[in-house]
Amino acid sequence: MNEITFREAIRDAQREELERDPTVFLIGEDLRDPWGGAYKTTQNISAILGNDRVINTPIAEESIVGAALGASLTGMRPVAELQYLDFVMRAMDSVVNQVAKVRYMSGGQAKVPLVIRAQGGGGKSSAAQHGNSLEAWLCHVPGLFVAIPSTPYDAKGLLKTAIRMDDPVFFIEHKMLYMTKGLVPTEEYTLPFGVADIKRQGSDVTIVATSRMVLFALEAAEKLALDGISAEVIDPRTLVPLDEAAILESVRKTNRLVVVSEGVERCGWAAEIAAMVQKRAFTDLDAPIERVCSLNVPLPFQPELERFVLPSVDDIIRAARLTMGKV
Amino acid sequence: MNEITFREAIRDAQREELERDPTVFLIGEDLRDPWGGAYKTTQNISAILGNDRVINTPIAEESIVGAALGASLTGMRPVAELQYLDFVMRAMDSVVNQVAKVRYMSGGQAKVPLVIRAQGGGGKSSAAQHGNSLEAWLCHVPGLFVAIPSTPYDAKGLLKTAIRMDDPVFFIEHKMLYMTKGLVPTEEYTLPFGVADIKRQGSDVTIVATSRMVLFALEAAEKLALDGISAEVIDPRTLVPLDEAAILESVRKTNRLVVVSEGVERCGWAAEIAAMVQKRAFTDLDAPIERVCSLNVPLPFQPELERFVLPSVDDIIRAARLTMGKV
Amino acid sequence: MENGSLWMELFRLMVRVRHFEQTAFELYTAGKLPGFLHLSIGQEATSVGACAALRPDDYMASTHRGHGDTIAKGVSVQAAMTELFGGASGACHAKGGSMHIADFSRGILGANGIIAAGVPITVGAALSIKQRRTDQVALCFFGDGATGCGPLHEGMNMAMLWKLPMIFVRQNNHYAESTPRHEYQGIPDVVRWAEGYGMPAVKVDGNDVLAVYEAVSRAAVRARRGEGPSFIDSETYRWYGHNIGDPGTWRPKEEVETWKARDPIARFRRVIIEHNVAAGADLDAVDAEEAQRMKQAAVQAENEPKPPVAAALEDLYSDPVLGAQAIQGVRC
Amino acid sequence: MENGSLWMELFRLMVRVRHFEQTAFELYTAGKLPGFLHLSIGQEATSVGACAALRPDDYMASTHRGHGDTIAKGVSVQAAMTELFGGASGACHAKGGSMHIADFSRGILGANGIIAAGVPITVGAALSIKQRRTDQVALCFFGDGATGCGPLHEGMNMAMLWKLPMIFVRQNNHYAESTPRHEYQGIPDVVRWAEGYGMPAVKVDGNDVLAVYEAVSRAAVRARRGEGPSFIDSETYRWYGHNIGDPGTWRPKEEVETWKARDPIARFRRVIIEHNVAAGADLDAVDAEEAQRMKQAAVQAENEPKPPVAAALEDLYSDPVLGAQAIQGVRC
Ligand SMILES: Cc1ncc(C[n+]2csc(CCOP(=O)(O)OP(=O)(O)O)c2C)c(N)n1
Ligand SMILES: Cc1ncc(C[n+]2csc(CCOP(=O)(O)OP(=O)(O)O)c2C)c(N)n1
Ligand SMILES: [Mg+2]
Ligand SMILES: [Mg+2]
């Protein structure tokens, strides 16, 4: 095993897949060296493998994704990068009306081996247009797979799988995770979609969290443990397909659920999990399912305000305690 | 009272507001007479009030909404039309990053008296790109108000209110509702946002539904009544702000809830209602909350397939019976 | 006549498109077809002239008004007709309908319900041609109304930037729905505007199938030589309204009549006869054959079985296991 | 000298922008400012020349690199500086930060974090000018990297279509982040391309404040007369990297040096002295005043109270009751 950063995991996965398969290529804004991407997730790829494999584009997200789609339909396996998840708003028609639907609309003719990578999330005082968590929108789109890893190990294994799949994958990274470290096998590996990872075992309350919120949930679990509360932390890793079984099994054991999702609460991803679990494990629940999400406002610039709007470790602790009837 | 169609309600509301306030204007594709809009919702407006008040645009949704925003920030009160709600995908940056956030990002300086109207929904074999129900996306965007009327009376009253508001409103109409009829006062009236309408009183199960699904829910309620099941049908009319109190009060009475929403189930609007109600009325619920939504696939072209994917009256009946323990 | 067989093929294809759409019109009017229908009758020379200049392995993306384009590029008429009926054996298994006819085996990347959405897809196909070092080309059709649409601009810039083997064909039928040019276009001359991107741009008589064929052929040669994209503004007209619900009566009657008098099929028929490529009777025979073929296609299409409703859950994901997990089966 | 006071004002504004950004740079480097920071040092002549040609009631929309533009259009330096610190009395109540500085009372419709997003907003402002029949104009800034972006095209088409009183100013600093022209732009000559839209287009020396001022003044006169939009490609350079985390060392050193030698402020200083509008000492005094003012602004900004966290729930909706119902208060 090697200890590497999340950023390196993303870089390595891409470079290894480019080396393995000549039809894989990267496309997006400012990906080439020496810049190597806004968050340096493509650094040392064009320098090693050449500019033919790493395409810098104009600032035209709808067309970046649309062009990646066209290439994927005609024999290539593009990995498109949107610098910020926020900019998917400029690419929604391509992502939703085209990428996600072309196979269906054509009666299964199309194969769409396409990965769209984007970096999202708050925590850097980047204000309202550079810190959104939009996974709920993407999960609402039939035809996409959605991956959202929280560790270098998961990131590398899932990204490699994504690049090898024949269906389109929206792959979400978190800007605050890039510098986090973790162990990764030295040898080649991939990870399956649709399989959750239990990041911590526990018996009193289940915490389902994604992306950076997994780290917050683990921190909350540590603190809850000091208080005698044993929290199980589940990271679904892919939201579509979702490992419902893992979540339900845990809830049937703990009888309590907190869902943590960085996106805005209203119509966010946590609502889906709450709706699904109350239906499938109704009689197992000893307390209402708690959602811990961003408040229903845009992200403010000022750091304290931003922290207040984003979910915090304390929010998770409070929610978990609430499910235990402790306030 | 007059009996008019939903389409006439939309037309009349716009014409009356244009007559009342010289700063109101309409902007969108093909709105002018004799065409009068793709769904004829602006017919006989430019012919009467002039082309200055009704602006035809290029096919450029991002800019239609962006331009409407610019006008609203500088003294006008635009009503922008997106022919199909699906085309909001071409306008997401304007709608979300600009319209919804400009007031917040500017520290409350901006006033945004802007209505975006769009027609959505399935039922016409219009296939995957012309029948989406995307209200969940829009409710996930802090800074917008979202209205989604089901009757001519509600449509007219809410649209007039929307046009007079100083905050942006996303106003969703359903293509299958335009020909439906209803009574509307002859005199001027408006309806408040954030107030649900109980479309039918009942005591056994609460059905919350929106847009065309209200009609389906009422039909289901009729049939359930034959079976001795008394369903209460609640139409929130505006999703943001939401009349939570009305829903909760009903659930506390019936102890059962079915949420019907035409959008795709995963991360759809029904999930939000389920998550909210299980939290706020946990001990009142005698059965899991049922969601009745579109299946997690795009809309297929073929009519039977489309009907299968969309929620049906039978689906609602089945869900309501399920909450009563009857299968 | 050296080009005799080409001319006959062009004629046949135009007639085929015309009959297909006339048949579709009648079927729709008789209440037999669901959904939307956008007819391109009057525009056949543009669809056929352009696609005939392409090879089977070249790519083409079309629009909401795509019957002519897709038939010209080789989609099976039977499959297309069955698709309009929503038959299980339709070109898109009844999932797509009129606006989404596609045939990837013939390079047809799809008609498209979204204005200008075919442009970025074609850019990507052209990029992939370059990457795979083949000598294919990629052609995208779009309407005159697409001119004001952002993705068209983005695609033209990218095509020039990357010197892509791409052909932009503007099907200029003078209206976007009912909106005339002066209400959607501030650009005074589309050819000058396209030249501003650095690519050769020409206006062609879009009702002259040979003119379109030649313009696209030149563009294809350029593209195959690696000299980059071209832009063609093909001026034509649709006889019918915007869609089947629209009688199109908002246009000046004389305008419609003038353009009907320029019928691309009748016109090419005269040219063929003048040049002694074929006699009127030969052409009548072609016409009769295609009419007959379309009648049969309609009958067969109507009798094709509809898909079972559970087919709605198929064709979304190519991975069956993960796909099923993602779709999660039926409600309740 | 007739224009003496104008020249002195232009000089003062450029110096003000420079000191503002130098100060911001130092504060950021000292760890005192949160968030992102995109400096426009080197581009002052474009910001100041353009905005000085506008009236206070004219509209302007800027970009992510908007300090210079917004200060030139009249935002309070104190309010802007406080905003960078996240102080409650900042221009945007600490909600916006560097990328979103706005002052509607001065026609500043906002800096913007999204490339080219200011274009459609400005189109709408210009449309509203026409509708309200005032003689205002609306100017939008955008970078050279925005050239390939769909909304710019849509806006140029609309501006011409509706003959809007609008001015497009391209702040051509030669790079989009680190991407050079030949990697994002297939358009060989931006001026010819803009002319393709039918509007007058000129290239100006964006480091010559008078040239920019004159070009924008001419465009404003045209716009006020109802003659429609204009396009100005203002060639300049940013001395720093793309943003504060980027040293900008990926650019050829000589290139940076060449452009630094073209410092718009030093250059204009020489012009002023040559024309006897003011003496070096006068200009030094202006410089010292602005430096001093900026120091004070920084001190005051740092000491301004931060907003209470609950302020995060304010300023979203203008309707307080419905707004509160929509936001629903705090979690758990
Ligand atoms: C993004 C988008 N906006 C609007 C529409 C609705 N719409 C369908 S066809 C059409 C007019 C298209 O005009 P043109 O490009 O000239 O093609 P034509 O119909 O004349 O063939 C419009 C506005 C759409 N399909 N997609
Ligand atoms: C829609 C969108 N895509 C990408 C970005 C990320 N981004 C920020 S600045 C920038 C480069 C802009 O270049 P240019 O327009 O030349 O302005 P400059 O930074 O040089 O002033 C990019 C790509 C963005 N902010 N918005
Ligand atoms: Mg047209
Ligand atoms: Mg630049």
Side-chain angles (χ1 to χ4, degrees), chain A residues 16-305:
Chain A
E16 287 172 25
E17 291 305 301
L18 282 162
E19 281 164 350
R20 195 184 56 80
D21 180 346
T23 67
V24 176
F25 72 99
L26 312 184
I27 182 166
E29 293 158 16
D30 237 339
L31 304 186
R32 287 176 181 158
D33 293 312
W35 186 265
Y39 280 79
K40 311 302 170 205
T41 49
T42 55
Q43 220 165 31
N44 280 325
I45 298 183
S46 74
I48 295 170
L49 298 171
N51 279 350
D52 282 0
R53 306 294 301 282
V54 182
I55 297 183
N56 275 359
T57 67
I59 304 171
E61 285 79 7
E62 186 85 280
S63 298
I64 293 168
V65 176
L69 172 59
S72 84
L73 293 171
T74 56
M76 302 297 288
R77 306 184 78 86
V79 181
E81 177 181 300
L82 300 172
Q83 283 194 353
Y84 283 76
L85 180 51
D86 312 70
F87 308 158
V88 76
M89 296 183 208
R90 277 278 176 75
M92 284 304 265
D93 185 70
S94 287
V95 172
V96 181
N97 270 332
Q98 314 300 332
V99 168
K101 294 179 184 167
V102 61
R103 184 176 160 81
Y104 193 75
M105 293 188 304
S106 69
Q109 289 179 59
K111 243 205 285 185
V112 188
L114 166 57
V115 179
I116 304 169
R117 290 179 45 240
Q119 162 277 124
K124 261 193 181 314
S125 271
S126 51
Q129 296 174 333
H130 284 73
N132 283 283
S133 296
L134 300 172
E135 49 273 21
W137 283 0
L138 298 161
C139 292
H140 193 49
V141 179
L144 298 177
F145 287 140
V146 180
I148 184 164
S150 67
T151 67
Y153 175 79
D154 293 346
K156 185 173 179 191
L158 290 170
L159 184 51
K160 285 175 72 101
T161 301
I163 294 173
R164 296 179 192 189
M165 285 168 79
D166 284 336
D167 291 305
V169 176
F170 207 104
F171 196 93
I172 301 176
E173 301 158 20
H174 197 295
K175 54 171 76 58
M176 302 301 282
L177 287 180
Y178 284 131
M179 289 304 290
T180 59
K181 290 188 176 174
L183 291 176
V184 161
T186 23
E187 58 283 3
E188 153 105 346
Y189 73 103
T190 60
L191 289 175
F193 273 44
V195 180
D197 187 42
I198 300 180
K199 292 281 193 253
R200 181 193 166 108
Q201 306 265 359
S203 52
D204 292 330
V205 53
T206 302
I207 305 179
V208 172
T210 64
S211 190
R212 188 190 186 201
M213 294 301 115
V214 174
L215 307 199
F216 282 27
L218 289 169
E219 200 180 321
E222 290 293 324
K223 295 193 177 159
L224 286 164
L226 300 178
D227 219 14
I229 297 174
S230 163
E232 177 144 305
V233 177
I234 299 188
D235 177 357
R237 300 194 292 192
T238 65
L239 307 187
V240 183
L242 179 71
D243 189 348
E244 293 189 356
I247 296 170
L248 290 168
E249 195 183 322
S250 177
V251 171
R252 288 191 179 118
K253 176 175 72 178
T254 64
N255 311 114
R256 292 173 188 87
L257 176 62
V258 174
V259 190
V260 194
S261 172
E262 188 175 321
V264 157
E265 178 173 284
R266 184 171 48 239
C267 287
W269 180 76
E272 173 62 32
I273 301 307
M276 183 273 289
V277 170
Q278 68 82 31
K279 158 78 178 156
R280 309 260 315 262
F282 187 73
T283 52
D284 297 300
L285 286 168
D286 286 350
I289 299 162
E290 296 293 334
R291 287 186 281 171
V292 182
C293 307
S294 282
L295 300 176
N296 291 323
V297 295
L299 273 191
F301 162 68
Q302 203 276 335
E304 297 300 322
L305 267 56

Side-chain angles (χ1 to χ4, degrees), chain A residues 25 55-56 58 60 63 66-67 70-71 74 76 93 97-98 103-105 107 109 143-145 166-167 194 241-242 244, chain C residues 59 91-93 95-96 100 102-104 112 114 117 120-121 124 128 131-132 154 312 314-319 325 328:
Chain A
F25 72 99
I55 297 183
N56 275 359
S63 298
T74 56
M76 302 297 288
D93 185 70
N97 270 332
Q98 314 300 332
R103 184 176 160 81
Y104 193 75
M105 293 188 304
Q109 289 179 59
L144 298 177
F145 287 140
D166 284 336
D167 291 305
L242 179 71
E244 293 189 356
Chain C
Y59 300 114
C92 304
H93 297 178
K95 301 278 172 40
H100 303 289
D103 185 343
F104 285 76
N112 209 307
I114 304 297
I121 293 172
S128 129
Q131 291 167 317
R132 291 179 290 107
E154 295 181 357
E314 291 164 11
D315 291 335
L316 184 55
Y317 294 98
S318 78
D319 186 307
Q325 195 183 346
Q328 289 172 317

Side-chain angles (χ1 to χ4, degrees), chain B residues 39-325:
Chain B
Y39 279 78
K40 311 302 171 203
T41 49
T42 55
Q43 220 166 28
N44 280 323
I45 298 184
S46 73
I48 294 170
L49 298 171
N51 278 350
D52 282 0
R53 307 294 300 283
V54 182
I55 298 181
N56 275 0
T57 66
I59 303 171
E61 286 79 7
E62 186 85 280
S63 297
I64 293 169
V65 176
L69 172 60
S72 85
L73 293 172
T74 56
M76 303 297 288
R77 307 184 77 86
V79 181
E81 177 181 300
L82 301 173
Q83 284 194 351
Y84 283 76
L85 179 51
D86 312 69
F87 307 158
V88 76
M89 297 184 208
R90 277 277 176 77
M92 284 305 265
D93 186 70
S94 287
V95 172
V96 180
N97 270 332
Q98 314 299 333
V99 167
K101 294 178 185 166
V102 60
R103 184 177 161 81
Y104 192 77
M105 294 189 303
S106 68
Q109 289 179 61
K111 243 205 284 184
V112 188
L114 166 57
V115 178
I116 304 169
R117 291 179 45 242
Q119 161 277 126
K124 261 192 181 316
S125 271
S126 50
Q129 296 175 334
H130 284 74
N132 283 283
S133 296
L134 300 172
E135 49 273 20
W137 282 1
L138 298 161
C139 292
H140 194 48
V141 179
L144 299 177
F145 288 140
V146 180
I148 184 163
S150 68
T151 67
Y153 175 78
D154 293 346
K156 185 172 178 190
L158 290 170
L159 184 50
K160 285 176 70 99
T161 301
I163 294 172
R164 296 181 192 187
M165 285 168 78
D166 285 336
D167 290 305
V169 175
F170 206 105
F171 197 93
I172 300 176
E173 301 158 22
H174 197 295
K175 55 170 75 60
M176 300 302 281
L177 287 179
Y178 284 132
M179 288 306 290
T180 60
K181 289 188 175 174
L183 292 175
V184 161
T186 23
E187 59 282 4
E188 151 106 348
Y189 74 103
T190 60
L191 289 175
F193 273 45
V195 180
D197 187 41
I198 301 180
K199 292 279 193 254
R200 182 194 165 109
Q201 306 267 357
S203 52
D204 292 330
V205 53
T206 301
I207 305 178
V208 173
T210 65
S211 190
R212 187 190 186 202
M213 293 301 115
V214 174
L215 308 199
F216 282 27
L218 288 170
E219 200 180 322
E222 290 294 323
K223 294 192 178 160
L224 287 164
L226 299 178
D227 219 14
I229 297 174
S230 164
E232 177 144 305
V233 177
I234 299 187
D235 176 358
R237 300 194 293 193
T238 65
L239 307 187
V240 183
L242 179 71
D243 189 348
E244 293 190 356
I247 296 171
L248 291 169
E249 195 181 322
S250 178
V251 170
R252 288 191 179 118
K253 178 176 70 178
T254 63
N255 310 115
R256 293 172 187 89
L257 176 62
V258 174
V259 190
V260 193
S261 172
E262 189 175 321
V264 156
E265 180 173 284
R266 184 170 48 238
C267 287
W269 180 77
E272 172 62 30
I273 301 307
M276 183 274 287
V277 170
Q278 68 80 31
K279 158 76 178 157
R280 309 262 312 265
F282 186 72
T283 52
D284 296 300
L285 286 169
D286 286 351
I289 299 163
E290 296 294 334
R291 288 186 280 171
V292 181
C293 306
S294 282
L295 300 176
N296 291 323
V297 296
L299 273 190
F301 162 68
Q302 204 275 335
E304 298 300 322
L305 268 55
E306 186 190 31
R307 250 192 300 279
F308 177 70
V309 170
L310 294 171
S312 70
V313 173
D314 283 348
D315 293 327
I316 301 170
I317 292 171
R318 207 175 314 120
R321 292 177 54 86
L322 210 59
T323 66
M324 308 283 297

Side-chain angles (χ1 to χ4, degrees), chain D residues 201-266:
Chain D
V202 292
K203 201 175 188 67
V204 299
D205 179 343
N207 278 14
D208 177 348
V209 68
L210 294 177
V212 176
Y213 177 81
E214 271 152 36
V216 175
S217 296
R218 267 193 303 278
V221 167
R222 250 183 71 81
R224 287 192 221 285
R225 281 202 196 121
E227 292 167 12
S230 306
F231 186 98
I232 294 163
D233 185 26
S234 188
E235 207 184 353
T236 180
Y237 202 78
R238 55 169 154 74
W239 293 5
Y240 285 79
H242 168 65
N243 57 17
I244 198 116
D246 165 29
T249 43
W250 40 269
R251 299 174 301 187
K253 215 174 173 160
E254 319 78 66
E255 180 183 288
V256 180
E257 290 313 315
T258 308
W259 278 99
K260 282 195 174 168
R262 294 181 199 153
D263 178 359
I265 297 181

